Amino acid sequence: MSEEFQNHDPNSGHTETEQHIVGPATYGIIFAALLVGTALTIGASYLEMGAWNPVVAILIACIKATLVVLFFMHIKYSSKLMKLTVGAGLFTFLILVGMSLSDYISRAWGQW
Amino acid sequence: MSTIVSLPDQSTARVPKRNYLTNENGLLSWLLTGDHKRIAILYLISITFFFFIGGALAGVIRLELLTPQSDLMAADTYNKVFTMHGVVMIFLFLVPSVPATLGNFLIPIMIGAKDLAFPKINLLSWYLYLAGGAMTLAAMITGGVDTGWTFTTPMSTHFSNTNVITTGLAIFVAGFSSIFTGLNFIVTVHRMRAPGMTWFKLPLFVWAHYAASILMVLGTPVLAITLVLVVLERTIGIGVFDPTKGGDPILFQHLFWFYSHPAVYIMILPGMGVISEVISTFSRKRVFGYTAVAFSSVAIAVFGFFVWAHHMFIMGVSNYAVLVFSLLTMLVAVPSAIKIFNWAFTLYKGSITFETPMLYAFGFMGLFTIGGLTGVFLGTSGTDIHLTETYFIVAHFHFVMVGGMLMAFLSGIHFWWPKMTGRMYPEKISQLAAVVTFIGFNFTFFPQFLLGMLGMPRRYAAYPAEFQVLNVFSTAGASILGVGYLLPMIYLVWSLKYGAIAGANPWQATGLEWQIQSPPLTENFTTIPVVTQDVYDYEWLERQKEHEVTHVG
Amino acid sequence: MDSHAVATTADAHGHEHDHPAYLRHHFVSYEQQTETASFGMWLFLLTEIMFFGGLFTAYLIYRNWYYPAFVAGSHQLSITLGSFNTLLLITSSFTMAMGVWSAETKRHKGLVWSLIATLILGIGFLGIKTVEYKEKWEKHHIPGDTFSVQSFVNPSSDAEAKAAGDKPMGLDMARKTEVYFSLYFAMTGMHALHMIIGIALLCGMLFKAVRGGYMDGNIAFVENFGLYWHFVDIVWIFLFPLLYLISRHQ
Ligand code: HEM
Ligand SMILES: [Cu+2]
């Protein structure tokens, strides 16, 4: 039996910071922001903005989703690993959508 | 031939009385176990079962192709046979083969943990696998499927009147088993490493599984939703893939290959992990370019998501997309090549010995190289137009999947057999089996490259008479290959009772798994190890042994 | 002779310190266990993102191909009901967040009431969804054999289409509304399925909370359920504008 494998302090390998508790005040503000976002997106759909209509709709949805992820889902207060995990999901999602669309968009360009 | 095997004195040695196999008794103690090692054994038994079903189907295919006419069975039966062969081999054997057995058994031990992060989910994943397997068998018995493992639309949605729905749902369920395995591995590798076990001290086996797990978690759900859409299309006729309603069958291809290209790396990366361990151990050297090999696994996983349309070059995707995906496909060959080169450099000036795992590893290196390089031919869009849907493709993927992954699986099973069971397999006959497998493999699949070049299409029961000679070669080779697979089945079971007592570290290998008793205790380690040595640190092992001797003396 | 570098004989359960009952044997500490659980949950949510990803891809492609059909199809949905449902779901996300906070700060009553509110809001959402589905059923807007393009080739025969001022569509494009409704049902149906699973879990959690559960610091389940619930909310945040709000001004 070697010295290398001795008993150790159980927490020595894990240096995570203490968990951050998000309170009602923050949740309330985010809730209000989400309601405003919903109102905005409904309102915007009645305006004539041409090609900008879908852009605005998606943009507002993204902002709302980001708020939920950051605050309701605590990612703002989480470790780098968690942030990276969310990023990886988003990245792969965009690859799926983006690369598939690249085929559809360029089909119309015809032959060389 | 020299050997590194060092076994304990057989007259006094015993398999330790207390270990994970003897810890508890009774069927329930297995069916309700949370122990990753027992779950690995459960998986090993089930995938072996499905491997032999898939193998029998392969035998039937080769028999039919012995003659140019479709005489053994009707053409539509043949379609069902090759479909079932593909489905069983890919989803029920290759995808779980190494990860769910060796990965499950070894990852916690290699990183110095007592178990995976979620033991219950691990068990659940095995039950899901069984459910998927049972559904597949049910689909087979009640009439089969004839779409090919790729479920191509509109064949699968409109024209096939076979059990597409049952099979699709079976794969859906089995897919979740794979998702849960991957999820468990990722969390385990991040969260459960022993003190001192930094990322760059992880064995390459763990890196490879980590990369494969990313693919399982991010890729498999896309397959799941695709199959759901196919099932909905068949049942209520939603129009998403139906051209008569305005849907696009090519969208099915996009979604299917978005999973299935990464899936081929799910099927090879864990095998690459095995090869890294084996090559290092049997040349007694640290893997050359450890960091490069580690990162190449991750690179394969990431690039793997960018190339899927190379399966669709002739299917009506845009020319520009063909160009881009063709170039990106070349890119993914780079990390694969990095691995091959680094293994070759590891061998260079190593003290190489030729035990069975190493023989399989050599087989892997040669065959995977050929498989990978022919993949580059296929990724080149011009060449692909000639070769696609021919036997060239069949040969390509059998070189990587059978020549690559199956060789790696057998290599790993032999290598860790003493750890899993406490006993050695018989060396001479297993070396014979490895050689027989290699010879049989080449006889079976090399002629298929030639057949493909000559233009023999895949997936037909009959073919023009001029292709017969090469097909006879292939069928003959398949029977040799069959013997090569039956042998281990027999002698490994034999060795459970009669094999030599292995002791903790028969190969003098450096991984943490070799520093504990074989078979391990249920809790793996009595005290959690503190890792101070480097990975593949053979000098550390030497010092360790000296220490031991003085200690005892 | 056996060279064990790691001790293998000592009693495995000889822990020197006290562990709470819910700490599983293979974790060193409770912190490690909860972090591990929420990391696992996040990975599961990644699979969910990709699962819905396939549907979103299909949606984007067909929306670009058959834009007029998508516009006409979306005019069949009720903005009032859709907006109200959005309100319900966002509120339920808020109440769930409050539930997690109550559990974290060991407020028994707060937890129970938050869960009850979340449950009611969730069921309300599904109720309204049922009303919407029923209306589609009656108007033969369910894809499949019974699908009818009546509302689109002849908008004056249809209250919603008339209200939106839709022009009659050629039969060819009108038939593409079936693709729109396929996606509508696939996406909202998948979402509703997630809600149903969520509500089932919520009931179990409420049952335990009422009887004093989750007050001992072991709240991983509440936290992870919260993540799941918020994720379902996020999916809806995208579905709402994509399905209901396509070009309301035309
Ligand atoms: C090393 C780099 C690799 C490259 C560049 C490559 C390239 C390709 C290409 C371009 C095709 C499509 C051919 C066609 O349909 O016309 C293909 C098919 C295939 N490859 Fe690979 N491949 C590689 C490695 C692998 C590996 C490692 C595996 C599995 C372990 C694999 C399994 C398959 C399978 C199963 C198919 C056929 C799918 C089907 O149509 O049934 N490939 N490969
Ligand atoms: Cu591929």
Side-chain angles (χ1 to χ4, degrees):
Chain A
M1 169 99 207
S2 69
E3 291 94 338
E4 271 100 347
F5 294 103
Q6 275 171 352
N7 209 348
H8 67 288
D9 170 16
N11 291 317
S12 61
H14 307 273
T15 51
E16 298 297 327
T17 47
E18 210 181 300
Q19 215 179 352
H20 188 285
I21 294 182
V22 187
T26 318
Y27 287 146
I29 294 170
I30 299 303
F31 179 45
L34 291 174
L35 292 181
V36 172
T38 307
L40 278 181
T41 193
I42 296 171
S45 73
Y46 285 97
L47 301 176
E48 173 62 86
M49 292 184 283
W52 290 99
N53 274 85
V55 178
V56 170
I58 301 241
L59 199 71
I60 295 177
C62 285
I63 292 171
K64 283 163 73 182
T66 313
L67 289 178
V68 175
V69 169
L70 287 183
F71 296 96
F72 281 2
M73 298 169 94
H74 304 168
I75 282 299
K76 183 167 189 288
Y77 313 98
S78 302
S79 60
K80 271 209 194 86
L81 172 64
M82 296 294 194
K83 294 189 172 104
L84 209 70
T85 307
V86 180
L90 189 67
F91 176 75
T92 324
F93 174 84
L94 290 178
I95 298 293
L96 169 62
V97 175
M99 299 273 288
S100 301
L101 282 181
S102 77
D103 165 30
Y104 286 86
I105 292 167
S106 59
R107 271 189 214 171
W109 298 352
Q111 305 290 319
W112 305 95
Chain B
M1 235 187 291
S2 71
T3 173
I4 51 163
V5 181
S6 81
L7 300 179
D9 178 1
Q10 293 294 313
S11 55
T12 55
R14 292 261 131 66
V15 171
K17 267 229 176 55
R18 244 194 64 186
N19 62 51
Y20 76 99
L21 295 165
T22 59
N23 188 33
E24 279 178 282
N25 291 314
L27 191 61
L28 273 189
S29 77
W30 281 87
L31 294 182
L32 298 177
T33 183
D35 181 2
H36 64 107
K37 298 179 290 300
R38 285 191 165 205
I39 296 172
I41 301 293
L42 292 174
Y43 256 118
L44 182 60
I45 296 168
S46 2
I47 67 163
T48 308
F49 171 74
F50 281 105
F51 175 69
F52 279 97
I53 290 190
L57 292 165
V60 175
I61 295 176
R62 279 322 315 167
L63 220 54
E64 166 61 60
L65 293 178
L66 201 55
T67 58
Q69 313 80 27
S70 88
D71 31 24
L72 182 63
M73 55 194 135
D76 60 340
T77 315
Y78 179 80
N79 293 347
K80 291 176 183 172
V81 171
F82 76 68
T83 300
M84 242 333 132
H85 165 69
V87 169
V88 168
M89 283 302 203
I90 289 191
F91 296 110
L92 300 177
F93 177 70
L94 279 172
V95 167
S97 61
V98 172
T101 58
L102 296 172
N104 233 335
F105 195 98
L106 293 164
I107 287 178
I109 310 185
M110 282 181 164
I111 66 174
K114 290 185 173 175
D115 207 322
L116 287 174
F118 307 114
K120 281 186 192 145
I121 291 184
N122 198 16
L123 183 65
L124 173 68
S125 121
W126 180 67
Y127 278 106
L128 287 175
Y129 170 85
L130 276 197
M135 287 163 77
T136 311
L137 287 184
M140 180 163 85
I141 291 164
T142 58
V145 220
D146 63 356
T147 59
W149 78 278
T150 49
F151 293 97
T152 312
T153 53
M155 169 79 181
S156 60
T157 50
H158 288 76
F159 300 113
S160 170
N161 51 9
T162 52
N163 292 329
V164 179
I165 295 180
T166 324
T167 321
L169 293 179
I171 294 173
F172 181 92
V173 173
F176 273 90
S177 136
S178 154
I179 287 177
F180 286 143
T181 304
L183 189 152
N184 227 331
F185 285 175
I186 295 182
V187 177
T188 305
V189 174
H190 272 284
R191 286 294 188 222
M192 312 289 289
R193 299 193 313 276
M197 180 54 88
T198 57
W199 280 88
F200 292 101
K201 284 186 183 175
L202 289 176
L204 289 165
F205 182 87
V206 177
W207 274 96
H209 274 80
Y210 181 77
S213 303
I214 296 177
L215 296 173
M216 293 185 201
V217 167
L218 290 171
T220 318
V222 179
L223 176 72
I225 187 68
T226 315
L227 291 171
V228 168
L229 289 175
V230 167
V231 168
L232 288 178
E233 188 109 2
R234 268 186 90 84
T235 45
I236 50 181
I238 71 168
V240 177
F241 300 136
D242 179 1
T244 61
K245 288 185 172 172
D248 182 15
I250 299 181
L251 176 62
F252 169 84
Q253 298 288 328
H254 275 299
L255 296 178
F256 182 83
W257 290 112
F258 181 86
Y259 164 74
S260 291
H261 180 80
V264 308
Y265 292 105
I266 296 176
M267 293 182 252
I268 197 75
L269 275 166
M272 292 169 155
V274 171
I275 300 304
S276 294
E277 301 301 310
V278 169
I279 296 231
S280 165
T281 301
F282 294 99
S283 40
R284 317 225 51 76
K285 270 177 69 186
R286 186 187 157 92
V287 174
F288 182 88
Y290 169 90
T291 330
V293 179
F295 278 124
S296 68
S297 289
V298 180
I300 286 179
V302 176
F303 293 172
F305 279 116
F306 287 84
V307 300
W308 76 82
H310 64 213
H311 296 270
M312 306 163 59
F313 285 163
I314 59 156
M315 291 184 186
V317 292
S318 94
N319 288 325
Y320 300 89
V322 168
L323 180 72
V324 171
F325 277 101
S326 183
L327 288 172
L328 289 171
T329 300
M330 307 293 138
L331 212 63
V332 83
V334 174
S336 308
I338 289 180
K339 284 185 188 284
I340 293 283
F341 284 127
N342 281 289
W343 290 326
F345 279 120
T346 309
L347 294 173
Y348 181 66
K349 289 196 171 163
S351 326
I352 301 173
T353 55
F354 295 91
E355 281 79 11
T356 310
M358 190 63 158
L359 292 184
Y360 279 115
F362 279 130
F364 174 98
M365 283 176 70
L367 301 177
F368 176 76
T369 306
I370 297 180
L373 283 176
T374 51
V376 177
F377 299 3
L378 295 169
T380 316
S381 61
T383 330
D384 183 64
I385 289 167
H386 175 58
L387 295 173
T388 190
E389 298 304 321
T390 70
Y391 259 81
F392 195 91
I393 304 254
V394 178
H396 156 68
F397 66 71
H398 282 88
F399 263 73
V400 275
M401 301 207 296
V402 182
M405 188 56 160
L406 202 62
M407 288 275 180
F409 175 70
L410 288 170
S411 174
I413 289 291
H414 284 87
F415 185 57
W416 282 291
W417 192 254
K419 185 49 66 184
M420 294 196 284
T421 65
R423 289 182 186 268
M424 299 299 288
Y425 58 83
E427 185 69 41
K428 279 279 162 323
I429 183 165
S430 63
Q431 284 175 333
L432 179 73
V435 173
V436 169
T437 314
F438 184 77
I439 294 173
F441 177 86
N442 280 294
F443 264 108
T444 313
F445 292 106
F446 199 81
Q448 298 185 359
F449 276 128
L450 305 178
L451 285 167
M453 295 285 287
L454 296 172
M456 176 171 162
R458 65 192 281 204
R459 294 181 169 168
Y460 286 95
Y463 54 85
E466 73 230 48
F467 294 135
Q468 188 171 13
V469 177
L470 287 169
N471 271 302
V472 170
F473 261 106
S474 186
T475 302
S479 42
I480 303 178
L481 194 55
V483 174
Y485 292 144
L486 276 176
L487 280 177
M489 186 65 203
I490 297 165
Y491 65 70
L492 286 180
V493 173
W494 173 88
S495 77
L496 287 178
K497 192 137 196 255
Y498 304 104
I501 308 286
N505 195 355
W507 311 122
Q508 304 304 310
T510 57
L512 278 187
E513 79 271 28
W514 298 108
Q515 318 308 324
I516 58 174
Q517 72 174 40
S518 343
L521 291 169
T522 299
E523 61 273 18
N524 299 341
F525 306 94
T526 42
T527 53
I528 293 181
V530 181
V531 182
T532 52
Q533 75 275 23
D534 207 352
V535 62
Y536 308 122
D537 192 342
Y538 291 93
E539 281 161 25
W540 168 81
L541 194 72
E542 287 303 317
R543 281 201 306 277
Q544 201 70 22
K545 272 196 297 191
E546 278 161 30
H547 191 87
E548 197 102 355
V549 173
T550 39
H551 198 77
V552 173
Chain C
M1 166 71 215
D2 258 6
S3 52
H4 303 266
V6 178
T8 49
T9 45
D11 179 11
H13 295 287
H15 299 294
E16 320 86 273
H17 31 245
D18 290 324
H19 283 164
Y22 47 80
L23 177 58
R24 309 241 353 192
H25 77 94
H26 58 291
F27 291 105
V28 195
S29 66
Y30 182 67
E31 285 70 44
Q32 189 197 12
Q33 181 173 332
T34 40
E35 275 164 30
T36 305
S38 77
F39 185 35
M41 190 65 207
W42 267 106
L43 287 175
F44 181 72
L45 294 183
L46 291 202
T47 72
E48 293 277 18
I49 295 179
M50 296 313 293
F51 189 79
F52 280 98
L55 291 172
F56 278 104
T57 312
Y59 171 87
L60 287 175
I61 290 165
Y62 295 129
R63 174 180 166 141
N64 280 310
W65 276 4
Y66 308 129
Y67 185 66
F70 271 55
V71 172
S74 78
H75 288 174
Q76 292 296 318
L77 306 183
S78 155
I79 287 229
T80 322
L81 292 183
S83 311
F84 189 64
N85 251 352
T86 311
L87 181 72
L88 290 187
L89 212 52
I90 288 181
T91 314
S92 85
S93 236
F94 171 69
T95 55
M96 190 59 223
M98 291 306 291
V100 171
W101 173 75
S102 310
E104 279 168 345
T105 52
K106 304 203 163 98
R107 288 173 162 80
H108 172 73
K109 270 204 179 130
L111 176 63
V112 171
W113 283 110
S114 305
L115 294 183
I116 290 176
T118 313
L119 187 63
I120 292 173
L121 291 164
I123 292 174
F125 178 94
L126 286 176
I128 292 183
K129 206 78 228 148
T130 318
V131 173
E132 289 187 274
Y133 278 4
K134 183 154 169 286
E135 193 243 12
K136 298 288 160 300
W137 172 262
E138 282 159 0
K139 286 172 79 173
H140 294 287
H141 287 163
I142 309 260
D145 295 338
T146 56
F147 187 79
S148 153
V149 292
Q150 180 68 24
S151 322
F152 310 106
V153 284
N154 185 9
S156 54
S157 71
D158 180 295
E160 275 82 14
K162 210 155 124 194
D166 284 353
K167 310 253 170 332
M169 245 190 279
L171 186 59
D172 211 34
M173 185 53 83
R175 289 186 54 203
K176 302 302 189 293
T177 51
E178 190 172 356
V179 175
Y180 170 82
F181 282 108
S182 293
L183 286 167
Y184 168 77
F185 281 106
M187 293 169 108
T188 57
M190 239 15 119
H191 179 262
L193 182 66
H194 279 81
M195 296 278 301
I196 293 171
I197 296 172
I199 284 174
L201 294 174
L202 199 51
C203 289
M205 202 160 64
L206 183 60
F207 185 68
K208 198 168 157 193
V210 168
R211 301 193 311 170
Y214 309 115
M215 288 299 123
D216 54 358
N218 181 20
I219 56 163
F221 190 85
V222 183
E223 287 180 332
N224 285 335
F225 177 82
L227 292 179
Y228 174 84
W229 195 256
H230 297 314
F231 172 80
V232 176
D233 184 26
I234 290 178
V235 173
W236 184 258
I237 287 180
F238 283 96
L239 289 186
F240 176 56
L242 289 182
L243 293 170
Y244 287 75
L245 300 179
I246 310 175
S247 180
R248 281 289 169 172
H249 47 83
Q250 284 175 354

